[in-house]
Amino acid sequence: MKRLLTQAVFLLLVVVVGYGCMGPDKAPEPENLINEQNYIDLLIEMQHISTYRDAHPDSVNADSLKALVYDKFGITEEQFLTSHTFYQKQVERQLIRVQEVIRQLENEEQYIQAHIDSVKATKGNRF
């Protein structure tokens, strides 16, 4: 779980550092732009895939997982990358989006930890 949080913070740093290389906030909106909430949800999914890839570096499943995520959202990889590039150019808004991704990942981590603690407590009460 801590690994997920660490990677989320790393994602934030990558985004912040990347801003120095980006153009102005007034870039034209791409024709097939993914709406902002779906984009945030996609970033969360991509972080999960990145975490999986780090945990299982020899696995070829990560690319398959990406394809499933794109299919789930009804988009192409190109559409995601175009939208990602556009959103990254909006420096202040992108920081807010990334903070939302981190917040949601932290909530997921807390939920999973609470479940783990609950299962441990139940097993401890049986003996």
Side-chain angles (χ1 to χ4, degrees):
M1 287 300 132
K2 294 296 179 194
R3 180 182 212 156
L4 181 67
L5 185 58
T6 300
Q7 289 181 341
V9 171
F10 177 74
L11 172 68
L12 177 64
L13 290 174
V14 168
V15 170
V16 170
V17 170
Y19 290 142
C21 303
M22 294 292 162
D25 286 355
K26 303 295 182 202
E29 185 175 300
E31 184 178 308
N32 58 356
L33 182 68
I34 299 166
N35 77 52
E36 193 169 332
Q37 186 54 54
N38 282 347
Y39 174 71
I40 289 170
D41 293 342
L42 280 158
L43 287 180
I44 292 168
E45 295 284 349
M46 293 303 166
Q47 184 58 48
H48 288 309
I49 292 170
S50 177
T51 301
Y52 175 81
R53 180 179 284 143
D54 290 346
H56 305 283
D58 296 334
S59 176
V60 294
N61 292 329
D63 290 333
S64 299
L65 291 173
K66 273 186 174 180
L68 288 172
V69 168
Y70 295 141
D71 193 43
K72 172 183 170 182
F73 284 88
I75 64 164
T76 63
E77 181 176 14
E78 181 181 337
Q79 187 178 1
F80 172 73
L81 294 174
T82 300
S83 296
H84 184 60
T85 299
F86 173 77
Y87 283 131
Q88 280 189 322
K89 290 179 181 178
Q90 302 171 346
V91 177
E92 290 179 22
R93 286 289 308 145
Q94 186 68 352
L95 285 172
I96 292 168
R97 286 186 282 269
V98 170
Q99 288 171 347
E100 176 60 18
V101 168
I102 291 170
R103 186 191 68 75
Q104 289 187 36
L105 288 169
E106 288 173 340
N107 286 345
E108 288 179 11
E109 178 183 18
Q110 290 172 0
Y111 174 80
I112 291 168
Q113 189 60 53
H115 180 71
I116 290 169
D117 293 345
S118 173
V119 169
K120 286 180 180 177
T122 301
K123 286 184 178 183
N125 290 337
R126 289 184 183 172
F127 300 106

